[in-house]
Amino acid sequence: MAEKKYESKDLVVLEGLDAVRLRPGMYIGTTGIKGFHHLLWEIVDNSIDEIACGYGDTITITLNKDGSATVEDNGRGIPVDKHPTLNMSGVEVVYTKLHAGGKFSNENYKYSGGLHGVGASVTNALSRWCDVTVYRNGKVYNIRFSSDEVDGKIRSGVAQGPLKEIGKTSKTGTKVTFLPDDRMFGNLKFSFEIISKKARELAFLNKGLKIKIIDDVNKNEVFYHYEGGIADFVSYLVEGKNTLFKDPVYFSGESDNFAIEVAFIYTDSYTENSFSYVNNIPTTEGGTHETGLKSAFTKVFNDYARTSGFLKEKEANFLGEDFREGLNVVLTVKMTNVQFEGQTKTKLGNPEARTKVEALALVKLQEFVNDKKNSSKIEAILNKAKGAAKVREAAKRAKDLTRAKNSADNFNLVGKLASSTSKNKEKSEMFIVEGDSAGGSAKQGRDRSFQAILPLRGKPLNAEKKRIDQVLANEEIRTIISALETGIGEDFKLENLRYNKVIILSDADQDGAHIRAILLTFFFRYMRELITDGHVYIGLPPLYKVYKKDYVEYVYSDAYLPEAISRAGRGYMIQRYKGLGEMNPEQLWETTMDPEKRTLIQVSIEDAAEAEKMVSTWMGDNIDARKEYINLHANFDREDTFMQKFKGDK
Ligand code: 28G
């Protein structure tokens, strides 16, 4: 048979926006909840660019009842005159051409990159319809785009007519309303929560920006505006903590097409908390810019410690990590030709970013330490580093001790752990159970072939407040560490994990919530990958037993109690469980441990900033903040979890 010849008429030419629907992943990453919200951020990005150029100061985002979203800014309005070569209005260029606009050539838009900034046309392409109104030249202009089926194919983002003048106005700006296409995204809806969280971050990153979110579906509103920008961001991060000086240190610097902003403060805690961004995009995996800033800190502070005589001649220099204990810092970089690397493409790779950030920060930090007004702050920083250096040595000794214990005296250490018999790591689970009596029931009720039980007496220590050597000295924590076999901190090796699931079982009361928070803090600090790789779970014990002679139903949420009662019918009785200890081994197995029937909540680190805030509010020095937080979040979104009706976890 003759080979088929390809002719030019066979070639599929992807025209403009239709390409976006064929490969949405290339433009918005996913068609899940993240990609769905990306549609909104593409539009908001344009408003932010306009405001960053110095035009306008306010963005309003409205979530409409029909599922669409409206974004409005008070910038100059997208140009309405005909584009010289494309023979259409500027508005049409922005909304129908991929990578339209001067984003990559215009001097004003010199910092753009990544998935972000793929352009508003992508939002148009993935919307049912998109309606754009421009206020400019004293006039109101409007154009509408729509994605409709023609001969069985969807034509994306087609203008329904030319840009029309529809009225007069004294204001300027742009207003865009779009309805994400359910043929792409199913029944996804905008989340006020997700949007406000991101909007607050944008308000922190763009000082002076006023951003308002109006939820017309659930009648909700927030407004963010930070005159201090990332300095306010840092203040927010350390809310409820003891800081070594009152206000964050802030500086900015710029050299040919490369700009940085830095804000930092120290707390009396022992952990570092740093956030970095490139062109407003979070770089959660860090990268070259962070490296540059770190070396500037180390150099300038060590140099000052030496020349001021704080470090004696015979004393060794501080290590970089000594200056990062208790450091809370936000770094933002604006640059061109961004290269992202790393597993989640959130790590900055550009080598020049390291040298440029370092050079700019060196100058500014040097100015900071040279200024006599700052001498008490510098003193506090150096004393903090001195404490860190001292403990670093102690920690090393304690670590060596734990290592020795791990090999020789391991049996002794894991004494309280009832381990499982099978060596199958994939199926193995370790329950960390609050209280000896519940621990006893769990040991009897479990399937010992794959379930291990570690009972916790009292509260294990608070990982946020103690230094690493004290954390390691705690018996409970050491038992957990040796049982999991991964090691901790920099020595952590996920591949050595002995139990695939680590399940925290605590009572449904405030003490239980506290114990859970302490354990999560420990994992967050010293075994973070255990969480990010999805191995940490919260087990949910039932709150009630509704029963009759031949009938038993366990109820896990207050919301489901009435239903259960009506199912049981006349003559029912209710037992309310105040703690795990009230269940016998069989009941505990049936309700909470049996993989076929139990409910587990997988612990994830949604947002490092929020997680940090949770642990520090929970553990921090501000007792009122802690109480408020626990009251708000103590039941770990039990109701939400039950909304999802997620039962069994096989
Ligand atoms: C409300 C929702 C999203 C925007 C502007 C303002 C200008 C602009 C936007 O120009 C470059 C030039 C023509 C296509 C620039 C206005 C210079 C002078 C602007 C927004 C590319 C883009 N006057 N405001 N784009 N054009 N707000 N908000 O989209 O050819 S986008």
Side-chain angles (χ1 to χ4, degrees):
M1 197 162 77
E3 256 179 54
K4 187 179 187 311
K5 277 214 184 75
Y6 280 92
E7 295 171 348
S8 58
K9 69 175 171 57
D10 294 315
L11 293 172
V12 180
V13 179
L14 292 176
E15 276 265 39
L17 294 188
D18 294 334
V20 180
R21 268 180 200 250
L22 290 182
R23 290 204 179 73
M26 271 186 51
Y27 298 90
I28 56 167
T30 71
T31 49
I33 193 78
K34 220 171 158 183
F36 182 86
H37 285 85
H38 202 110
L39 301 186
L40 175 66
W41 302 126
E42 279 305 334
I43 305 293
V44 171
D45 252 14
N46 285 353
S47 295
I48 289 186
D49 284 346
E50 177 69 358
I51 291 169
C53 288
Y55 303 96
D57 60 359
T58 303
I59 302 173
T60 308
I61 301 173
T62 310
L63 308 183
N64 305 307
K65 292 204 181 80
D66 64 357
S68 66
T70 302
V71 182
E72 178 159 6
D73 68 45
N74 60 349
R76 289 167 293 183
I78 307 178
V80 292
D81 44 334
K82 280 241 178 318
H83 188 277
T85 53
L86 292 167
N87 191 35
M88 51 170 90
S89 66
V91 179
E92 284 165 276
V93 175
V94 171
Y95 276 83
T96 63
K97 297 289 165 205
L98 285 172
H99 294 287
K103 265 205 152 175
F104 296 89
S105 54
N106 187 327
E107 259 303 290
N108 291 330
Y109 293 88
K110 55 191 173 189
Y111 311 120
S112 282
L115 242 194
H116 311 257
V118 288
S121 60
V122 167
T123 300
N124 182 26
L126 297 173
S127 294
R128 268 281 171 181
W129 50 261
C130 180
D131 191 281
V132 183
T133 304
V134 172
Y135 307 90
R136 196 178 161 98
N137 311 329
K139 297 185 177 109
V140 185
Y141 305 85
N142 177 266
I143 186 168
R144 196 174 166 94
F145 306 93
S146 183
S147 301
D148 301 310
E149 214 173 284
V150 179
D151 299 333
K153 281 198 204 76
I154 297 172
R155 298 284 169 220
S156 298
V158 180
Q160 300 300 289
L163 183 76
K164 276 209 242 346
E165 198 188 308
I166 58 165
K168 304 231 176 300
T169 182
S170 56
K171 68 177 187 179
T172 65
T174 305
K175 182 166 96 176
V176 177
T177 303
F178 66 97
L179 179 70
D181 197 330
D182 56 343
R183 293 166 296 190
M184 294 302 298
F185 300 101
N187 60 3
L188 289 176
K189 295 278 171 281
F190 286 113
S191 153
F192 181 75
E193 220 107 89
I194 292 175
I195 294 166
S196 337
K197 215 179 207 179
K198 183 78 191 169
R200 173 162 61 189
E201 186 177 51
L202 289 170
F204 278 136
L205 294 174
N206 298 277
K207 111 177 38 159
L209 170 65
K210 295 171 183 163
I211 186 160
K212 185 174 186 176
I213 327 285
I214 302 167
D215 183 347
D216 271 344
V217 183
N218 298 303
K219 295 290 158 224
N220 221 341
E221 252 188 62
V222 279
F223 174 74
Y224 299 114
H225 173 218
Y226 299 104
E227 271 310 328
I230 61 169
D232 289 345
F233 193 169
V234 168
S235 299
Y236 164 79
L237 286 175
V238 299
E239 244 170 52
K241 293 186 181 179
N242 296 324
T243 54
L244 301 192
F245 39 88
K246 194 167 155 284
D247 295 313
V249 179
Y250 170 88
F251 61 83
S252 61
E254 186 165 6
S255 74
D256 40 41
N257 277 352
F258 193 96
I260 67 168
E261 279 187 87
V262 176
F264 70 90
I265 201 165
Y266 282 85
T267 69
D268 66 355
S269 114
Y270 307 110
T271 45
E272 181 197 352
N273 199 12
S274 54
F275 295 93
S276 63
Y277 297 82
V278 176
N279 302 341
N280 284 345
I281 303 162
T283 37
T284 19
E285 294 175 287
T288 47
H289 55 332
E290 281 195 14
T291 311
L293 182 65
K294 280 176 189 172
S295 39
F297 266 92
T298 311
K299 267 189 198 160
V300 172
F301 290 158
N302 251 327
D303 194 45
Y304 184 84
R306 195 56 74 189
T307 52
S308 68
F310 185 92
L311 277 177
K312 302 283 171 302
E313 217 168 299
K314 58 177 181 357
E315 289 176 307
N317 268 359
F318 293 118
L319 297 188
E321 64 187 69
D322 299 335
F323 291 118
R324 295 200 292 275
E325 197 185 87
L327 173 65
N328 287 259
V329 59
V330 174
L331 162 68
T332 74
V333 172
K334 299 278 168 67
M335 61 183 286
T336 47
N337 300 320
V338 176
Q339 281 159 351
F340 288 113
E341 304 177 338
Q343 277 202 311
T344 54
K345 291 274 174 287
T346 57
K347 182 177 181 180
L348 183 66
N350 301 57
E352 76 276 17
R354 190 183 68 75
T355 46
K356 290 196 168 184
V357 171
E358 181 172 347
L360 290 168
L362 271 176
V363 173
K364 298 291 172 173
L365 279 174
Q366 198 58 54
E367 281 173 27
F368 168 74
V369 299
N370 287 347
D371 190 338
K372 286 281 171 293
K373 286 198 293 293
N374 296 322
S375 60
S376 70
K377 294 183 184 180
I378 297 151
E379 193 75 7
I381 294 170
L382 294 185
N383 278 321
K384 180 81 173 143
K386 191 173 172 180
K390 239 161 111 184
V391 173
R392 174 160 50 80
E393 277 308 307
K396 193 171 173 303
R397 285 194 295 275
K399 225 167 177 175
D400 294 343
L401 189 81
T402 313
R403 274 210 197 91
K405 285 264 184 198
N406 263 338
S407 50
D409 207 4
N410 197 299
F411 180 75
N412 200 15
L413 252 181
V414 294
K416 283 179 295 177
L417 175 83
S419 54
S420 55
T421 53
S422 156
K423 288 281 168 240
N424 180 349
K425 294 185 180 184
E426 197 45 47
K427 208 189 165 196
S428 291
E429 311 178 336
M430 182 171 87
F431 285 86
I432 304 175
V433 186
E434 175 184 358
D436 268 337
S437 87
S441 291
K443 280 185 191 178
Q444 288 178 50
R446 70 182 167 143
D447 181 337
R448 64 174 55 236
S449 72
F450 68 96
Q451 292 179 322
I453 311 294
L454 176 67
L456 284 186
R457 298 181 187 108
K459 284 181 197 171
L461 94 175
N462 175 337
E464 173 85 351
K465 291 286 276 188
K466 306 276 174 142
R467 292 177 184 269
I468 188 160
D469 52 336
Q470 292 167 298
V471 171
L472 293 176
N474 177 271
E475 207 185 333
E476 246 79 40
I477 296 285
R478 273 167 64 175
T479 308
I480 294 173
I481 296 169
S482 25
L484 294 180
E485 296 181 11
T486 52
I488 61 166
E490 285 175 5
D491 302 334
F492 182 90
K493 288 201 180 57
L494 188 62
E495 62 269 27
N496 293 347
L497 181 61
R498 167 73 178 79
Y499 299 96
N500 188 39
K501 288 195 172 77
V502 177
I503 303 165
I504 301 171
L505 264 192
S506 61
D507 291 335
D509 58 15
Q510 291 220 345
D511 263 0
H514 193 208
I515 286 186
R516 198 165 55 209
I518 287 168
L519 287 169
L520 289 183
T521 307
F522 168 70
F523 291 133
F524 179 75
R525 290 284 165 229
Y526 299 108
M527 298 184 161
R528 188 166 298 186
E529 241 187 290
L530 206 61
I531 301 179
T532 53
D533 211 57
H535 298 283
V536 182
Y537 296 82
I538 307 293
L540 279 196
L543 297 179
Y544 305 97
K545 179 164 92 172
V546 177
Y547 63 103
K548 292 207 298 201
K549 204 165 76 208
D550 298 316
Y551 182 86
V552 180
E553 183 175 347
Y554 295 101
V555 181
Y556 294 78
S557 153
D558 284 315
Y560 280 70
L561 186 58
E563 271 181 37
I565 288 174
S566 72
R567 262 195 298 278
R570 285 155 57 85
Y572 70 89
M573 284 176 286
I574 297 184
Q575 182 182 357
R576 184 186 159 82
Y577 293 114
K578 282 181 223 73
L580 293 160
E582 291 176 11
M583 275 181 278
N584 66 34
E586 292 70 39
Q587 287 175 326
L588 194 57
W589 162 257
E590 225 178 275
T591 60
T592 315
M593 298 174 72
D594 179 359
E596 302 283 343
K597 297 186 186 144
R598 70 188 177 194
T599 301
L600 297 182
I601 301 175
Q602 190 171 41
V603 177
S604 70
I605 298 186
E606 283 291 332
D607 175 338
E610 275 314 305
E612 158 65 19
K613 192 131 175 74
M614 170 182 111
V615 290
S616 57
T617 319
W618 230 321
M619 309 300 178
D621 314 286
N622 186 334
I623 297 187
D624 288 340
R626 166 159 74 224
K627 282 196 182 137
E628 188 190 319
Y629 198 92
I630 290 184
N631 283 334
L632 266 171
H633 299 280
N635 65 4
F636 224 92
D637 296 333
R638 200 174 256 262
E639 305 300 337
D640 285 357
T641 308
F642 278 88
M643 305 280 270
Q644 297 163 19
K645 298 222 183 210
F646 166 60
K647 283 293 261 175
D649 59 280
K650 283 212 318 167

PDB file of all heavy atoms in Angstrom, residues 398-423:
ATOM      1  N   ALA A 398      23.996  16.839  70.716  1.00  0.00           N
ATOM      2  CA  ALA A 398      22.746  16.105  70.972  1.00  0.00           C
ATOM      3  C   ALA A 398      22.411  15.172  69.817  1.00  0.00           C
ATOM      4  O   ALA A 398      21.935  14.058  70.013  1.00  0.00           O
ATOM      5  CB  ALA A 398      21.608  17.088  71.194  1.00  0.00           C
ATOM      6  N   LYS A 399      22.680  15.627  68.602  1.00  0.00           N
ATOM      7  CA  LYS A 399      22.404  14.841  67.410  1.00  0.00           C
ATOM      8  C   LYS A 399      23.254  13.576  67.400  1.00  0.00           C
ATOM      9  O   LYS A 399      22.772  12.484  67.122  1.00  0.00           O
ATOM     10  CB  LYS A 399      22.726  15.679  66.173  1.00  0.00           C
ATOM     11  CG  LYS A 399      21.674  15.613  65.096  1.00  0.00           C
ATOM     12  CD  LYS A 399      21.960  16.713  64.097  1.00  0.00           C
ATOM     13  CE  LYS A 399      20.994  16.672  62.943  1.00  0.00           C
ATOM     14  NZ  LYS A 399      21.194  17.804  62.042  1.00  0.00           N
ATOM     15  N   ASP A 400      24.539  13.764  67.712  1.00  0.00           N
ATOM     16  CA  ASP A 400      25.438  12.614  67.785  1.00  0.00           C
ATOM     17  C   ASP A 400      24.905  11.607  68.789  1.00  0.00           C
ATOM     18  O   ASP A 400      24.942  10.401  68.576  1.00  0.00           O
ATOM     19  CB  ASP A 400      26.851  13.059  68.184  1.00  0.00           C
ATOM     20  CG  ASP A 400      27.473  13.918  67.100  1.00  0.00           C
ATOM     21  OD1 ASP A 400      26.949  13.886  65.958  1.00  0.00           O
ATOM     22  OD2 ASP A 400      28.456  14.621  67.381  1.00  0.00           O
ATOM     23  N   LEU A 401      24.386  12.148  69.878  1.00  0.00           N
ATOM     24  CA  LEU A 401      23.822  11.303  70.935  1.00  0.00           C
ATOM     25  C   LEU A 401      22.646  10.493  70.397  1.00  0.00           C
ATOM     26  O   LEU A 401      22.555   9.288  70.598  1.00  0.00           O
ATOM     27  CB  LEU A 401      23.352  12.202  72.083  1.00  0.00           C
ATOM     28  CG  LEU A 401      22.918  11.516  73.366  1.00  0.00           C
ATOM     29  CD1 LEU A 401      24.148  11.149  74.190  1.00  0.00           C
ATOM     30  CD2 LEU A 401      22.004  12.433  74.166  1.00  0.00           C
ATOM     31  N   THR A 402      21.744  11.165  69.679  1.00  0.00           N
ATOM     32  CA  THR A 402      20.572  10.469  69.135  1.00  0.00           C
ATOM     33  C   THR A 402      20.994   9.397  68.152  1.00  0.00           C
ATOM     34  O   THR A 402      20.444   8.313  68.126  1.00  0.00           O
ATOM     35  CB  THR A 402      19.656  11.461  68.402  1.00  0.00           C
ATOM     36  OG1 THR A 402      19.497  12.586  69.220  1.00  0.00           O
ATOM     37  CG2 THR A 402      18.301  10.835  68.133  1.00  0.00           C
ATOM     38  N   ARG A 403      22.001   9.713  67.342  1.00  0.00           N
ATOM     39  CA  ARG A 403      22.480   8.728  66.370  1.00  0.00           C
ATOM     40  C   ARG A 403      22.967   7.489  67.084  1.00  0.00           C
ATOM     41  O   ARG A 403      22.637   6.374  66.712  1.00  0.00           O
ATOM     42  CB  ARG A 403      23.623   9.326  65.548  1.00  0.00           C
ATOM     43  CG  ARG A 403      23.127  10.087  64.376  1.00  0.00           C
ATOM     44  CD  ARG A 403      24.127  10.027  63.235  1.00  0.00           C
ATOM     45  NE  ARG A 403      23.794  11.092  62.310  1.00  0.00           N
ATOM     46  CZ  ARG A 403      24.319  12.309  62.382  1.00  0.00           C
ATOM     47  NH1 ARG A 403      25.232  12.586  63.298  1.00  0.00           N
ATOM     48  NH2 ARG A 403      23.962  13.240  61.541  1.00  0.00           N
ATOM     49  N   ALA A 404      23.739   7.688  68.126  1.00  0.00           N
ATOM     50  CA  ALA A 404      24.274   6.562  68.881  1.00  0.00           C
ATOM     51  C   ALA A 404      23.122   5.752  69.468  1.00  0.00           C
ATOM     52  O   ALA A 404      23.072   4.531  69.359  1.00  0.00           O
ATOM     53  CB  ALA A 404      25.192   7.064  69.987  1.00  0.00           C
ATOM     54  N   LYS A 405      22.170   6.449  70.050  1.00  0.00           N
ATOM     55  CA  LYS A 405      21.000   5.783  70.630  1.00  0.00           C
ATOM     56  C   LYS A 405      20.279   4.957  69.576  1.00  0.00           C
ATOM     57  O   LYS A 405      19.837   3.856  69.833  1.00  0.00           O
ATOM     58  CB  LYS A 405      20.026   6.830  71.179  1.00  0.00           C
ATOM     59  CG  LYS A 405      20.482   7.444  72.481  1.00  0.00           C
ATOM     60  CD  LYS A 405      19.837   6.744  73.657  1.00  0.00           C
ATOM     61  CE  LYS A 405      20.245   7.445  74.955  1.00  0.00           C
ATOM     62  NZ  LYS A 405      20.015   6.614  76.122  1.00  0.00           N
ATOM     63  N   ASN A 406      20.174   5.547  68.399  1.00  0.00           N
ATOM     64  CA  ASN A 406      19.434   4.895  67.330  1.00  0.00           C
ATOM     65  C   ASN A 406      19.984   3.515  67.011  1.00  0.00           C
ATOM     66  O   ASN A 406      19.236   2.586  66.751  1.00  0.00           O
ATOM     67  CB  ASN A 406      19.471   5.738  66.062  1.00  0.00           C
ATOM     68  CG  ASN A 406      18.213   6.565  65.946  1.00  0.00           C
ATOM     69  OD1 ASN A 406      17.207   6.227  66.548  1.00  0.00           O
ATOM     70  ND2 ASN A 406      18.291   7.637  65.203  1.00  0.00           N
ATOM     71  N   SER A 407      21.308   3.390  67.027  1.00  0.00           N
ATOM     72  CA  SER A 407      21.869   2.101  66.662  1.00  0.00           C
ATOM     73  C   SER A 407      21.928   1.158  67.868  1.00  0.00           C
ATOM     74  O   SER A 407      21.328   0.084  67.850  1.00  0.00           O
ATOM     75  CB  SER A 407      23.252   2.292  66.052  1.00  0.00           C
ATOM     76  OG  SER A 407      24.021   3.113  66.907  1.00  0.00           O
ATOM     77  N   ALA A 408      22.573   1.588  68.934  1.00  0.00           N
ATOM     78  CA  ALA A 408      22.846   0.674  70.036  1.00  0.00           C
ATOM     79  C   ALA A 408      21.622   0.425  70.915  1.00  0.00           C
ATOM     80  O   ALA A 408      21.293  -0.698  71.257  1.00  0.00           O
ATOM     81  CB  ALA A 408      23.997   1.218  70.876  1.00  0.00           C
ATOM     82  N   ASP A 409      20.935   1.489  71.219  1.00  0.00           N
ATOM     83  CA  ASP A 409      19.937   1.405  72.270  1.00  0.00           C
ATOM     84  C   ASP A 409      18.523   1.541  71.694  1.00  0.00           C
ATOM     85  O   ASP A 409      17.600   1.939  72.370  1.00  0.00           O
ATOM     86  CB  ASP A 409      20.208   2.548  73.258  1.00  0.00           C
ATOM     87  CG  ASP A 409      19.705   2.204  74.643  1.00  0.00           C
ATOM     88  OD1 ASP A 409      19.226   1.068  74.826  1.00  0.00           O
ATOM     89  OD2 ASP A 409      19.775   3.074  75.520  1.00  0.00           O
ATOM     90  N   ASN A 410      18.410   1.219  70.442  1.00  0.00           N
ATOM     91  CA  ASN A 410      17.159   1.457  69.735  1.00  0.00           C
ATOM     92  C   ASN A 410      15.970   0.794  70.421  1.00  0.00           C
ATOM     93  O   ASN A 410      14.905   1.369  70.569  1.00  0.00           O
ATOM     94  CB  ASN A 410      17.301   0.929  68.304  1.00  0.00           C
ATOM     95  CG  ASN A 410      16.225   1.495  67.414  1.00  0.00           C
ATOM     96  OD1 ASN A 410      15.057   1.271  67.678  1.00  0.00           O
ATOM     97  ND2 ASN A 410      16.619   2.249  66.411  1.00  0.00           N
ATOM     98  N   PHE A 411      16.188  -0.413  70.871  1.00  0.00           N
ATOM     99  CA  PHE A 411      15.126  -1.182  71.499  1.00  0.00           C
ATOM    100  C   PHE A 411      14.505  -0.403  72.650  1.00  0.00           C
ATOM    101  O   PHE A 411      13.301  -0.279  72.790  1.00  0.00           O
ATOM    102  CB  PHE A 411      15.678  -2.516  71.985  1.00  0.00           C
ATOM    103  CG  PHE A 411      14.642  -3.365  72.654  1.00  0.00           C
ATOM    104  CD1 PHE A 411      13.670  -4.023  71.901  1.00  0.00           C
ATOM    105  CD2 PHE A 411      14.616  -3.495  74.029  1.00  0.00           C
ATOM    106  CE1 PHE A 411      12.702  -4.794  72.521  1.00  0.00           C
ATOM    107  CE2 PHE A 411      13.643  -4.260  74.655  1.00  0.00           C
ATOM    108  CZ  PHE A 411      12.691  -4.913  73.897  1.00  0.00           C
ATOM    109  N   ASN A 412      15.372   0.149  73.450  1.00  0.00           N
ATOM    110  CA  ASN A 412      14.958   0.918  74.610  1.00  0.00           C
ATOM    111  C   ASN A 412      14.120   2.129  74.213  1.00  0.00           C
ATOM    112  O   ASN A 412      13.083   2.408  74.798  1.00  0.00           O
ATOM    113  CB  ASN A 412      16.207   1.356  75.359  1.00  0.00           C
ATOM    114  CG  ASN A 412      15.873   1.708  76.792  1.00  0.00           C
ATOM    115  OD1 ASN A 412      14.786   1.363  77.264  1.00  0.00           O
ATOM    116  ND2 ASN A 412      16.784   2.376  77.455  1.00  0.00           N
ATOM    117  N   LEU A 413      14.602   2.812  73.193  1.00  0.00           N
ATOM    118  CA  LEU A 413      13.942   4.042  72.770  1.00  0.00           C
ATOM    119  C   LEU A 413      12.520   3.817  72.289  1.00  0.00           C
ATOM    120  O   LEU A 413      11.628   4.590  72.557  1.00  0.00           O
ATOM    121  CB  LEU A 413      14.747   4.666  71.620  1.00  0.00           C
ATOM    122  CG  LEU A 413      15.495   5.913  71.971  1.00  0.00           C
ATOM    123  CD1 LEU A 413      16.220   6.414  70.752  1.00  0.00           C
ATOM    124  CD2 LEU A 413      14.553   6.978  72.497  1.00  0.00           C
ATOM    125  N   VAL A 414      12.313   2.791  71.496  1.00  0.00           N
ATOM    126  CA  VAL A 414      10.998   2.570  70.937  1.00  0.00           C
ATOM    127  C   VAL A 414      10.166   1.648  71.826  1.00  0.00           C
ATOM    128  O   VAL A 414       9.224   1.031  71.387  1.00  0.00           O
ATOM    129  CB  VAL A 414      11.064   2.035  69.484  1.00  0.00           C
ATOM    130  CG1 VAL A 414      11.647   3.084  68.578  1.00  0.00           C
ATOM    131  CG2 VAL A 414      11.860   0.755  69.413  1.00  0.00           C
ATOM    132  N   GLY A 415      10.552   1.611  73.071  1.00  0.00           N
ATOM    133  CA  GLY A 415       9.900   0.717  74.024  1.00  0.00           C
ATOM    134  C   GLY A 415       8.388   0.820  74.039  1.00  0.00           C
ATOM    135  O   GLY A 415       7.692  -0.182  74.106  1.00  0.00           O
ATOM    136  N   LYS A 416       7.862   2.053  73.946  1.00  0.00           N
ATOM    137  CA  LYS A 416       6.425   2.222  74.085  1.00  0.00           C
ATOM    138  C   LYS A 416       5.679   1.972  72.782  1.00  0.00           C
ATOM    139  O   LYS A 416       4.467   1.921  72.754  1.00  0.00           O
ATOM    140  CB  LYS A 416       6.135   3.644  74.558  1.00  0.00           C
ATOM    141  CG  LYS A 416       6.414   3.829  76.011  1.00  0.00           C
ATOM    142  CD  LYS A 416       6.121   5.250  76.413  1.00  0.00           C
ATOM    143  CE  LYS A 416       7.080   6.181  75.697  1.00  0.00           C
ATOM    144  NZ  LYS A 416       6.806   7.586  75.985  1.00  0.00           N
ATOM    145  N   LEU A 417       6.449   1.856  71.716  1.00  0.00           N
ATOM    146  CA  LEU A 417       5.816   1.643  70.419  1.00  0.00           C
ATOM    147  C   LEU A 417       5.443   0.176  70.243  1.00  0.00           C
ATOM    148  O   LEU A 417       6.279  -0.696  70.396  1.00  0.00           O
ATOM    149  CB  LEU A 417       6.775   2.062  69.296  1.00  0.00           C
ATOM    150  CG  LEU A 417       6.275   1.781  67.884  1.00  0.00           C
ATOM    151  CD1 LEU A 417       5.343   2.886  67.416  1.00  0.00           C
ATOM    152  CD2 LEU A 417       7.435   1.635  66.918  1.00  0.00           C
ATOM    153  N   ALA A 418       4.164  -0.064  69.946  1.00  0.00           N
ATOM    154  CA  ALA A 418       3.777  -1.420  69.565  1.00  0.00           C
ATOM    155  C   ALA A 418       3.882  -1.486  68.055  1.00  0.00           C
ATOM    156  O   ALA A 418       3.043  -0.949  67.342  1.00  0.00           O
ATOM    157  CB  ALA A 418       2.353  -1.704  70.016  1.00  0.00           C
ATOM    158  N   SER A 419       4.972  -2.070  67.556  1.00  0.00           N
ATOM    159  CA  SER A 419       5.201  -2.012  66.110  1.00  0.00           C
ATOM    160  C   SER A 419       4.373  -3.072  65.398  1.00  0.00           C
ATOM    161  O   SER A 419       3.817  -3.966  66.012  1.00  0.00           O
ATOM    162  CB  SER A 419       6.688  -2.169  65.798  1.00  0.00           C
ATOM    163  OG  SER A 419       7.172  -3.338  66.394  1.00  0.00           O
ATOM    164  N   SER A 420       4.305  -2.935  64.078  1.00  0.00           N
ATOM    165  CA  SER A 420       3.534  -3.894  63.292  1.00  0.00           C
ATOM    166  C   SER A 420       4.446  -5.028  62.871  1.00  0.00           C
ATOM    167  O   SER A 420       5.661  -4.882  62.849  1.00  0.00           O
ATOM    168  CB  SER A 420       2.937  -3.190  62.079  1.00  0.00           C
ATOM    169  OG  SER A 420       3.968  -2.564  61.345  1.00  0.00           O
ATOM    170  N   THR A 421       3.845  -6.149  62.516  1.00  0.00           N
ATOM    171  CA  THR A 421       4.667  -7.325  62.242  1.00  0.00           C
ATOM    172  C   THR A 421       5.154  -7.371  60.804  1.00  0.00           C
ATOM    173  O   THR A 421       6.273  -7.762  60.535  1.00  0.00           O
ATOM    174  CB  THR A 421       3.888  -8.618  62.562  1.00  0.00           C
ATOM    175  OG1 THR A 421       2.637  -8.570  61.863  1.00  0.00           O
ATOM    176  CG2 THR A 421       3.636  -8.741  64.047  1.00  0.00           C
ATOM    177  N   SER A 422       4.311  -6.904  59.864  1.00  0.00           N
ATOM    178  CA  SER A 422       4.708  -6.977  58.461  1.00  0.00           C
ATOM    179  C   SER A 422       5.763  -5.920  58.153  1.00  0.00           C
ATOM    180  O   SER A 422       5.767  -4.831  58.716  1.00  0.00           O
ATOM    181  CB  SER A 422       3.482  -6.750  57.576  1.00  0.00           C
ATOM    182  OG  SER A 422       3.889  -6.273  56.317  1.00  0.00           O
ATOM    183  N   LYS A 423       6.658  -6.248  57.226  1.00  0.00           N
ATOM    184  CA  LYS A 423       7.687  -5.274  56.855  1.00  0.00           C
ATOM    185  C   LYS A 423       7.266  -4.482  55.614  1.00  0.00           C
ATOM    186  O   LYS A 423       8.039  -3.709  55.073  1.00  0.00           O
ATOM    187  CB  LYS A 423       9.032  -5.983  56.606  1.00  0.00           C
ATOM    188  CG  LYS A 423       9.684  -6.488  57.878  1.00  0.00           C
ATOM    189  CD  LYS A 423      10.402  -5.353  58.656  1.00  0.00           C
ATOM    190  CE  LYS A 423      10.792  -5.820  60.058  1.00  0.00           C
ATOM    191  NZ  LYS A 423      10.194  -5.035  61.138  1.00  0.00           N
TER     192      LYS A 423
END
